[in-house]
């Protein structure tokens, strides 16, 4: 938050370090305005979010779900978000979908597994089930490097962190796969990016858990109608491509790279 930012940057050590810089390169105007408010010496510029260029690697990706059941993905869930989303998880399996949970920290996988098992869900750990996921109501990704595969398989993605003080995680990656994305109220980490997506009808922003549950209720009854949100989202982020070149050009012009 802005208050936390000021508390951190007004410490003498950090203030001294920042004032030794010539430039601060920001990922959004929203972020730039925060730095501007600190009255520090470096020139502060907004060159854009480098994550926008991630979509280039997925531009030709064809969404393929070789399972008979559709997949709902919960990406980068932080501690206890699975508990907040308990009612949603209940509805997903009752509607015949598979819920796939990717904890933000792999170390949380066992705790989530134990909680859901105690609440009578049929849960599998992906390291044990492999591709045989249709025998389970919920799959928990408990190893690294698997999340991207599920972005390409899922019909809908909820991005975690957005129900905690930590703030929403990377929403651009699932959107680059044309995933319709649902997020919660804490959007500080990607505020400007999310505002752009909202303007383009390319993301679903829930101000509270009730709104989030309503989005899921609608999606589970008519998942095909949500495809347009994924298409809109990907088209929106494509409009911001080329950020990497902006950084390279700036660094070259200022003799910071050869």
């Amino acid at each position: 938050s802005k208050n936390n930012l000021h508390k951190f940057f007004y410490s003498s050590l950090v203030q001294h370090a920042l004032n030794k810089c010539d430039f601060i390169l920001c990922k959004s105007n929203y972020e730039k305005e925060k730095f501007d408010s600190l009255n520090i010496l470096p020139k502060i510029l907004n060159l854009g979010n480098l994550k926008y260029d991630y979509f280039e690697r997925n531009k030709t990706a064809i969404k393929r779900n070789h399972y008979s059941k559709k997949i709902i993905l919960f990406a980068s869930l932080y501690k206890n978000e699975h508990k907040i989303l308990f009612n949603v998880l209940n509805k997903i399996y009752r509607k015949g979908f598979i819920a796939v949970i990717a904890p933000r920290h792999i170390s949380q996988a066992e705790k989530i597994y134990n909680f859901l098992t105690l609440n009578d869900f049929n849960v599998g750990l992906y390291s044990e089930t492999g591709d045989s996921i249709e025998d389970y109501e919920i799959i928990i990704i408990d190893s690294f490097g698997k999340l991207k595969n599920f972005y390409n398989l899922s019909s809908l993605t909820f991005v975690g962190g957005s129900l905690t003080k930590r703030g929403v995680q990377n929403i651009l990656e699932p959107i680059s796969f044309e995933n319709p994305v649902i997020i919660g109220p804490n959007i500080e980490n990607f505020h400007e990016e999310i505002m752009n997506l909202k303007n383009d009808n390319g993301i679903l922003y829930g101000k509270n858990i009730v709104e989030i549950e309503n989005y899921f209720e609608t999606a589970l009854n008519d998942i095909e109608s949500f495809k347009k949100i994924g298409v809109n989202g990907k088209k929106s982020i494509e409009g911001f491509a080329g950020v990497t070149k902006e950084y390279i050009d700036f660094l070259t012009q200022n003799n910071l790279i050869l």
Side-chain angles (χ1 to χ4, degrees):
S1 70
K2 186 172 288 187
N3 287 336
N4 288 335
L5 185 79
H6 276 76
K7 286 178 185 177
F8 177 72
F9 283 131
Y10 278 134
S11 68
S12 59
L13 179 62
V14 175
Q15 192 85 11
H16 179 73
L18 284 175
N19 282 328
K20 290 290 185 181
C21 299
D22 293 310
F23 305 100
I24 294 177
L25 306 181
C26 302
K27 68 183 181 68
S28 66
N29 282 320
Y30 182 75
E31 187 176 86
K32 180 181 181 298
E33 288 171 2
K34 290 182 178 181
F35 279 101
D36 284 337
S37 70
L38 298 174
N39 297 315
I40 49 180
L41 297 177
K43 187 173 183 180
I44 302 166
L45 302 167
N46 168 30
L47 295 187
N49 193 332
L50 285 163
K51 287 184 169 68
Y52 275 124
D53 281 352
Y54 183 90
F55 90 91
E56 288 288 348
R57 288 181 279 171
N58 303 325
K59 201 166 186 178
T60 59
I62 300 172
K63 288 185 72 66
R64 291 196 175 123
N65 182 358
H66 52 275
Y67 298 109
S68 60
K69 296 180 180 179
K70 293 189 183 297
I71 292 169
I72 308 295
L73 177 63
F74 296 82
S76 298
L77 289 196
Y78 269 78
K79 185 178 179 180
N80 293 329
E81 283 190 299
H82 60 286
K83 295 180 181 179
I84 300 171
L85 293 162
F86 184 83
N87 289 338
V88 171
L89 293 171
N90 240 326
K91 291 176 183 178
I92 285 173
Y93 96 85
R94 292 181 190 280
K95 291 285 186 177
F97 294 80
I98 303 171
V100 174
I101 296 175
R104 180 68 180 89
H105 300 293
I106 293 297
S107 60
Q108 292 292 311
E110 186 176 351
K111 291 181 181 179
I112 296 172
Y113 175 87
N114 290 338
F115 171 81
L116 294 173
T117 301
L118 284 172
N119 282 278
D120 296 325
F121 286 100
N122 181 14
V123 187
L125 296 171
Y126 191 63
S127 62
E128 299 175 358
T129 67
D131 286 338
S132 302
I133 68 173
E134 293 191 87
D135 295 332
Y136 300 89
E137 296 161 356
I138 299 175
I139 295 293
I140 300 172
I141 299 176
D142 58 336
S143 53
F144 293 104
K146 306 300 181 184
L147 182 55
K148 184 175 178 178
N149 296 337
F150 281 98
Y151 283 141
N152 200 38
L153 294 171
S154 64
S155 298
L156 180 67
T157 296
F158 176 87
V159 179
S162 57
L163 292 170
T164 71
K165 292 180 179 179
R166 174 63 181 78
V168 70
Q169 292 299 287
N170 185 3
I171 43 97
L172 301 178
E173 187 172 10
I175 288 172
S176 72
F177 284 96
E178 283 190 6
N179 273 207
V181 166
I182 298 175
I183 55 172
N186 193 339
I187 62 173
E188 183 74 14
N189 299 338
F190 287 86
H191 185 277
E192 188 167 305
E193 296 85 347
I194 289 168
M195 291 300 102
N196 291 331
L197 284 159
K198 281 184 66 181
N199 289 338
D200 293 333
N201 194 28
I203 199 165
L204 293 165
Y205 166 63
K207 294 192 288 292
N208 51 56
I209 189 60
V210 174
E211 288 192 3
I212 291 167
E213 289 179 356
N214 288 340
Y215 282 139
F216 274 102
E217 183 74 31
T218 303
L220 295 175
N221 287 322
D222 186 11
I223 196 71
E224 295 300 310
S225 67
F226 275 55
K227 283 185 176 180
K228 182 63 175 174
I229 294 165
V231 172
N232 290 344
K234 186 170 184 178
K235 184 178 179 180
S236 177
I237 67 172
E238 285 176 350
F240 293 92
V243 176
T244 303
K245 185 177 184 303
E246 294 289 330
Y247 278 86
I248 292 172
D249 288 348
F250 175 85
L251 295 172
T252 303
Q253 290 163 12
N254 288 277
N255 298 314
L256 296 170
I257 59 173
L258 299 178

